[in-house]
Amino acid sequence: MIKAAIVSLSILGITIAHESHAQSRISSGPHQGLWYNTLPGDGGTQADSVFSGISTFGRLPYHPCLSSDDEEYDIAFLGAPFDTGTSYRPGARFGPSGIRQGSRRLNLYGGYNVPLQANPFTSEMKILDCGDIPVTSYDNEWAIQQIEEGHNSVLMRKPFTDADKAGLSRAGKTLPRVITLGGDHTITLPLLRSINRAYGPVTVIHFDSHLDSWKPKVFGGSPSKVASINHGTYFYHAAMEGLLKNDTNIHAGIRTTLSGPSDYENDGYCGFEIVEAREIDTIGIEGIIRKIRERVGTENPVYLSIDIDTLDPACLDGLNFIGADIVEVAPAYDTNAEHTTMAAADVLYEVLTIMVKGGPLSIGGKRSNEL
Ligand SMILES: *[C@@H]1O[C@H](CO)[C@@H](O)[C@H](O)[C@H]1NC(C)=O
Ligand SMILES: [Mn+2]
């Protein structure tokens, strides 16, 4: 569906045709006809090829949401360039810009997702790239607070499409969805704190090869309170803070070494079930999908967190996703061919399509297309 609502302004004799979020182009003057743009999102740059223009996620329009709230949206991409919670190789502070670079070609042919039978770039839902949360790299405690407040500011706004107003549910608050570009995995703690302020405890699906629920004394040694919050422990803190709905959360793709079997016990205490990577050989992909679906149910508000070391959650269409992140993309260790950033962008394209198919959120975080 092509977006309607073309607003024409006449300013000093110049006519600007502005299509609300799909595309814009030079429509008058001596160069009319010289430029063209047939891509379904161009970041407002009027670039006519995937290799030109300023990078936004999927060439979506950019709006600096943290400095201005005069643009509404249903789904916002938001960068969290933080990597000082990393145990081994830092560099994910460059993840947001890397993923945007890797996402340039997502809608080269129009963006229609064949298996999911939807085009997230041409739906009635409005999707923006809100830029990055400014995050200090000198003070983790401060940075984590910046991420929580930055995310919460973008989350707690009236969405472009009010699913409740359309009579789809009782009156109440309806929120946009935020997809966060990390950042190392530590960011999921402040993101869940922000989500908690909107939804209370949520269900988490976590794609990763590592548990990330380690007790601080096991992972990192915990010499201080600040050090105890890192990319191996944030789920432990999230569970202890009551941010997770116990017994509904699940990891998929686990293939980590442990300090011992007690790490799995502690993980269960934190509220998770585990799908190990090797289960692909026993129960297969279908079995894994079934296990995840049975664990989370179709009604719980689900937060999706994807560590780039596991891939492709596209089979999870139909769940009630209220937000997501992708983390640990460190372009410095990528190949020159940008394989990792492109893979990250592709994964988010699947997530975005699933969210768009669910429709705008309604009260309590229910997707309106399922009501
Ligand atoms: C979560 O549920 C599990 C399994 O029922 C239980 O063993 C564990 O103590 C619970 N965790 C918390 C933090 O309440
Ligand atoms: Mn992780």
Side-chain angles (χ1 to χ4, degrees), residues 14-331:
I14 299 164
T15 303
I16 301 158
H18 174 70
E19 212 169 350
S20 63
H21 75 279
Q23 48 187 286
S24 57
R25 66 188 71 170
I26 295 168
S27 60
S28 71
H31 302 301
Q32 184 179 9
L34 192 54
W35 284 275
Y36 64 97
N37 172 26
T38 54
L39 296 173
D42 69 353
T45 63
Q46 306 198 349
D48 60 9
S49 59
V50 291
F51 41 83
S52 57
I54 293 165
S55 290
T56 61
F57 186 86
R59 310 168 65 84
L60 289 162
Y62 165 63
H63 184 73
C65 302
L66 287 175
S67 54
S68 149
D69 60 5
D70 51 0
E71 280 284 341
E72 292 176 341
Y73 42 82
D74 296 308
I75 300 176
F77 285 87
L78 182 66
F82 169 93
D83 64 9
T84 42
T86 310
S87 50
Y88 184 35
R89 298 206 291 179
R93 69 184 65 180
F94 300 104
S97 54
I99 295 166
R100 288 189 179 101
Q101 280 291 95
S103 73
R104 286 170 295 177
R105 79 193 202 303
L106 284 184
N107 48 27
L108 178 58
Y109 313 112
Y112 182 74
N113 188 321
V114 175
L116 290 170
Q117 301 181 334
N119 187 334
F121 296 103
T122 57
S123 85
E124 293 298 318
M125 287 168 72
K126 187 166 165 183
I127 310 166
L128 291 184
D129 189 325
C130 285
D132 293 344
I133 303 170
V135 180
T136 182
S137 50
Y138 303 113
D139 181 336
N140 278 13
E141 200 167 1
W142 193 273
I144 283 170
Q145 203 173 339
Q146 288 174 314
I147 294 167
E148 179 182 343
E149 293 305 327
H151 182 272
N152 204 252
S153 162
V154 172
L155 177 65
M156 298 295 215
R157 294 191 196 176
K158 188 172 149 307
F160 177 75
T161 311
D162 187 337
D164 291 327
K165 216 184 265 169
L168 293 163
S169 82
R170 302 176 307 281
K173 202 169 199 167
T174 164
L175 298 172
R177 295 179 179 91
V178 181
I179 299 176
T180 307
L181 312 173
D184 78 50
H185 224 149
T186 314
I187 68 166
T188 301
L189 179 61
L191 298 179
L192 286 172
R193 285 173 177 164
S194 167
I195 290 282
N196 185 261
R197 283 152 71 176
Y199 294 102
V202 291
T203 296
V204 169
I205 300 176
H206 172 225
F207 284 87
D208 204 316
S209 30
H210 307 97
L211 296 171
D212 296 4
S213 61
W214 279 282
K215 284 182 174 167
K217 70 172 169 22
V218 175
F219 193 102
S222 190
S224 70
K225 191 165 153 276
V226 175
S228 82
I229 295 175
N230 60 56
H231 76 163
T233 61
Y234 63 91
F235 272 141
Y236 177 78
H237 292 281
M240 295 308 107
E241 292 176 23
L243 309 180
L244 309 177
K245 192 169 171 192
N246 194 10
D247 270 341
T248 64
N249 312 287
I250 190 159
H251 308 286
I254 300 299
R255 57 178 190 274
T256 180
T257 56
L258 302 173
S259 75
S262 62
D263 290 356
Y264 270 18
E265 273 166 45
N266 176 61
D267 191 68
Y269 174 66
C270 291
F272 282 93
E273 184 180 344
I274 296 171
V275 178
E276 292 183 332
R278 59 184 173 156
E279 286 179 60
I280 213 158
D281 294 328
T282 52
I283 61 174
I285 292 172
E286 290 299 322
I288 290 172
I289 293 168
R290 199 175 317 115
K291 205 166 155 181
I292 295 172
R293 284 181 174 280
E294 280 170 14
R295 175 72 168 176
V296 307
T298 54
E299 295 307 313
N300 286 331
V302 178
Y303 186 81
L304 176 65
S305 186
I306 305 164
D307 193 313
I308 193 62
D309 59 23
T310 55
L311 288 175
D312 202 359
C315 304
L316 297 175
D317 185 22
L319 300 183
N320 192 16
F321 291 112
I322 49 114
D325 64 51
I326 189 153
V327 295
E328 307 284 2
V329 175

